[in-house]
């Protein structure tokens, strides 16, 4: 069995600006095996599709233990590195989060700055960076370089004035980079010019969200993106296809 440290190193090395790794967003062992059989070398588990798969709501409607149960099933069934969306951290300490993920076999995480357990407030930029720093220190203490993908929800929430939102996101994510993040995730659908600027001005590889089908990987590569994931869109596309298949049998 491949060691966690080797899997973490592999995951980190896959992030190449201009040659993005596509990490299909999966939610259980079935979807994970479909993605690996299709030839993908890493996976991410999204909170929204995982929650949907167990009848819970996104936004920490499931517990961290429920999430870890799914993660363990996925990592037991595939040999590729797995990153996990841990939302805003479930109100837990960094050491608890890192220990739980490593015990479940995950080697990467997404951490967002919307605090679901506190009325969905937005963490301050320094506060979010401090959480990233805590996660990095906990991972270092565990001896595994867990790949930390620091996310900001500024665009998703349309927080503050649009005129300076891009600048604020860059400043916020730069603090996260300085605190020990490996990847930066300005989640949302961005105009090409904005995505290019994010890829250019941020000091670390960036993650872009995509919808299966279009635009193609090369489009994101040209913009300097290093990582592509699908959020809830892959599961939604499969759900639509399943609905169409079943419609003929009603």
């Amino acid at each position: 069995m491949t060691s966690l440290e080797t899997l973490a190193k592999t995951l980190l090395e896959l992030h190449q600006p201009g040659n993005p790794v596509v990490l299909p967003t999966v939610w259980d062992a079935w979807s994970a095996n479909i993605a690996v059989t299709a030839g993908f070398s890493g996976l991410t588990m999204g909170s929204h599709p995982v929650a949907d798969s167990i009848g819970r709501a996104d936004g920490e409607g499931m517990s961290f233990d429920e999430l870890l149960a799914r993660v363990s099933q996925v990592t037991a069934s595939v040999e590729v590195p797995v990153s996990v969306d841990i939302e805003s951290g479930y109100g837990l300490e960094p050491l608890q989060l890192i220990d739980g993920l490593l015990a479940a076999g995950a080697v990467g995480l997404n951490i967002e700055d919307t605090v679901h357990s506190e009325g969905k407030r937005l963490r301050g930029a320094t506060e979010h960076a401090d959480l990233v720093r805590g996660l990095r220190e906990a991972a270092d203490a565990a001896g595994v370089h867990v790949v930390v993908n620091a996310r900001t929800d500024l665009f998703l929430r349309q927080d503050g004035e649009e005129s300076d939102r891009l600048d604020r996101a860059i400043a916020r994510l730069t603090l996260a980079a300085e605190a020990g993040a490996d990847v930066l995730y300005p989640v949302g659908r961005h105009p090409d010019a904005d995505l290019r600027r994010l890829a250019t001005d941020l000091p670390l590889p960036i993650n872009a969200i995509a919808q299966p089908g279009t635009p193609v990987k090369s489009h994101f590569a040209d913009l300097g993106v290093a990582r592509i994931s699908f959020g809830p869109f892959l599961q939604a596309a499969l759900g639509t296809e399943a609905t169409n298949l079943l419609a003929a049998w009603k």
Side-chain angles (χ1 to χ4, degrees):
M1 180 180 292
T2 308
S3 72
L4 291 177
E5 179 56 25
T6 298
L7 287 170
K9 181 180 179 182
T10 298
L11 179 60
L12 185 59
E13 290 174 347
L14 290 171
H15 293 78
Q16 301 173 21
N19 181 28
V21 59
V22 178
L23 300 179
T25 306
V26 302
W27 53 93
D28 60 8
W30 174 78
S31 56
N33 276 287
I34 286 177
V36 172
T37 300
F40 291 92
S41 53
L43 304 171
T44 187
M45 296 184 66
S47 63
H48 193 161
V50 173
D52 277 353
S53 77
I54 62 172
R56 299 285 190 270
D58 191 27
E60 297 185 6
M62 61 182 165
S63 70
F64 188 52
D65 285 341
E66 287 176 318
L67 173 63
L68 292 181
R70 274 293 203 215
V71 174
S72 297
Q73 292 165 358
V74 167
T75 60
S77 69
V78 297
E79 291 291 332
V80 302
V82 175
S83 182
V84 179
D85 178 357
I86 60 170
E87 304 205 60
S88 57
Y90 295 88
L92 300 175
E93 294 298 317
L95 183 60
Q96 295 173 285
L97 295 167
I98 293 295
D99 284 351
L101 288 171
L102 291 175
V107 294
L109 64 88
N110 288 8
I111 184 71
E112 63 192 57
D113 52 5
T114 295
V115 188
H116 299 285
S117 61
E118 298 178 20
K120 298 188 183 297
R121 70 175 181 87
L122 187 74
R123 281 194 183 97
T126 300
E127 181 188 10
H128 192 51
D130 287 343
L131 177 54
V132 169
R133 184 176 293 105
L135 292 165
R136 171 56 58 224
E137 290 172 352
D140 288 347
V144 178
H145 189 93
V146 175
V147 177
V148 175
N149 188 15
R151 168 176 149 170
T152 183
D153 289 348
L154 281 180
F155 300 101
L156 201 63
R157 297 163 57 106
Q158 297 187 334
D159 187 84
E161 295 295 326
E162 184 178 3
S163 59
D164 69 345
R165 191 174 295 143
L166 196 62
D167 292 332
R168 286 184 287 115
I170 290 170
R172 176 176 287 258
L173 290 175
T174 297
L175 285 178
E178 293 168 352
D182 299 290
V183 190
L184 304 172
Y185 190 10
V187 66
R189 308 294 291 276
H190 303 286
D192 286 357
D194 288 355
L195 194 56
R196 188 185 302 278
R197 185 182 166 203
L198 287 162
T200 300
D201 288 4
L202 286 169
L204 291 175
I206 70 164
N207 186 164
I209 192 168
Q211 187 158 352
T214 185
V216 294
K217 178 180 175 180
S218 60
H219 178 84
F220 290 99
D222 290 343
L223 297 174
V225 168
R227 168 172 169 163
I228 299 167
S229 52
F230 299 132
F233 298 126
L234 176 60
Q235 186 187 59
L238 292 176
T240 297
E241 183 64 19
T243 298
N244 292 337
L245 289 170
L246 291 170
W249 294 91
K250 289 192 297 184

